[in-house]
Amino acid sequence: MAGTAPTLEHALRAARGRIAAEDAELLLLHALQRRDRAWLFAHAADPVPADAASRFESLIARREQGEPVAYLLGRRGFWTLDLETTPAVLIPRPETELLVEQAAVRIPADRSVRVADLGTGSGAIALAIASERPQASVVATDASEAALAVARANARAHGIRNVEFRHGDWLSPLAGERFDLIASNPPYIAAGDPHLRQGDLRFEPESALASGSDGLDAIRTIVRAAPAHLLPGGWLLLEHGWEQGEAVRGLLRLAGFVDVATERDLESRDRVTLGRWS
Ligand code: GLN
């Protein structure tokens, strides 16, 4: 075997001793500039080109240091969309699809309604809603220009034209405007929560994860400001942590929202609380 380039299968087997098997496959495909897992297995006996082998080695080394796969690939799937995902944005998560589902059932498909997404990050929520409801006009805000650049690139890549991106905190870029529905996946982890120092979270923007001593600072800000930006009967939908359902329902009721309820994610955990402004 001396002098023979290792095959894809050899390279994968060696990597599996260092990182998770599934991650190894995704990173090898990325190093080979391919997307399709089936291709990998059909070509298992092919030699790995030298440039791909060195890219693969550096991706494995970064993964060993804990860098999230979504950042190494620069992409993550959300809803029906493949989204550019950089360290400037929170990695889109499957549980957030519940927020999109709950928004979509409250947005009629046959007329133009106004929707806002606060703290859009990669644009995941705004773009998923906009693609499901092409007649809606969506405004997405973010305090980070770097995040907005990613979100705008994602809108362009998917040819989604019914989202307008604006720079600023939560509802501040919406002065004087009212919406039929406002959705947000704000930061909701308590500052100092040990999870912030584990796994993918170590590499994500802290401003997208943590929010004050009980994790509810951003949610309080949004709940306080939202009524001035909702049309009569308009909905506010908030993602939150699985132990925060009761607290968020309390905040919404105190602010005067009605029909307040919490929806559970696929793991049966409280995840999205919503209320109507009457
Ligand atoms: N759901 C994320 C987590 O717990 C947190 C995202 C957020 O704070 N919005 O990892």
Side-chain angles (χ1 to χ4, degrees):
M1 292 289 283
T4 331
T7 64
L8 267 56
E9 192 181 355
H10 290 137
L12 269 184
R13 198 177 310 138
R16 277 190 206 117
R18 298 166 63 188
I19 61 175
E22 190 194 357
D23 295 354
E25 287 168 15
L26 291 169
L27 296 178
L28 180 57
L29 277 168
H30 188 60
L32 292 161
Q33 291 162 314
R34 298 264 171 189
R35 293 242 177 133
D36 176 13
R37 261 180 102 229
W39 184 92
L40 202 58
F41 298 108
H43 292 80
D46 290 6
V48 185
D51 58 338
S54 86
R55 280 196 296 271
F56 187 40
E57 174 52 37
S58 106
L59 289 165
I60 295 170
R62 290 168 64 188
R63 183 68 193 126
E64 283 184 302
Q65 295 305 308
E67 275 189 66
V69 173
Y71 291 156
L72 294 174
L73 303 178
R75 322 213 56 87
R76 176 52 48 98
F78 179 81
W79 199 252
T80 59
L81 308 168
D82 179 43
L83 297 175
E84 180 185 337
T85 302
T86 77
V89 301
L90 187 82
I91 299 166
R93 288 161 165 69
E95 59 266 29
T96 302
E97 293 180 355
L98 175 66
L99 184 61
V100 174
E101 268 169 41
Q102 291 296 324
V105 300
R106 289 170 176 80
I107 302 171
D110 58 351
R111 61 191 173 82
S112 173
V113 301
R114 302 203 71 211
V115 175
D117 170 27
L118 314 177
T120 196
S122 64
I125 295 164
L127 295 170
I129 291 175
S131 69
E132 282 304 306
R133 293 288 180 269
Q135 298 229 38
S137 72
V138 183
V139 178
T141 72
D142 206 287
S144 156
E145 287 279 18
L148 286 174
V150 175
R152 287 195 180 100
N154 280 322
R156 265 196 306 279
H158 289 281
I160 295 173
R161 280 184 262 277
N162 52 330
V163 183
E164 184 196 328
F165 295 96
R166 295 191 202 161
H167 182 228
D169 259 354
W170 311 127
L171 298 112
S172 0
L174 309 178
E177 294 175 60
R178 290 189 185 263
F179 295 82
D180 298 276
L181 185 144
I182 298 175
S184 182
N185 172 19
Y188 51 71
I189 300 174
D193 185 312
H195 289 106
L196 294 168
R197 296 192 304 278
Q198 293 167 18
D200 286 3
L201 276 64
R202 291 169 295 169
F203 294 83
E204 294 182 285
E206 175 132 3
S207 60
L209 292 168
S211 195
S213 59
D214 61 357
L216 291 169
D217 279 7
I219 289 179
R220 274 188 286 265
T221 299
I222 292 169
V223 171
R224 204 176 304 126
H229 297 279
L230 282 167
L231 291 160
W235 287 94
L236 175 63
L237 284 75
L238 296 168
E239 180 174 323
H240 52 72
W242 61 282
E243 295 171 313
Q244 293 171 328
E246 194 180 330
V248 178
R249 287 193 300 277
L251 288 170
L252 282 174
R253 289 195 184 108
L254 198 66
F257 283 84
V258 296
D259 297 340
V260 174
T262 298
E263 299 290 335
R264 295 182 157 193
D265 64 19
L266 292 171
E267 294 175 42
S268 273
R269 291 174 155 193
D270 282 0
R271 183 61 63 192
V272 170
T273 291
L274 42 91
R276 208 162 49 81
W277 186 248
S278 57

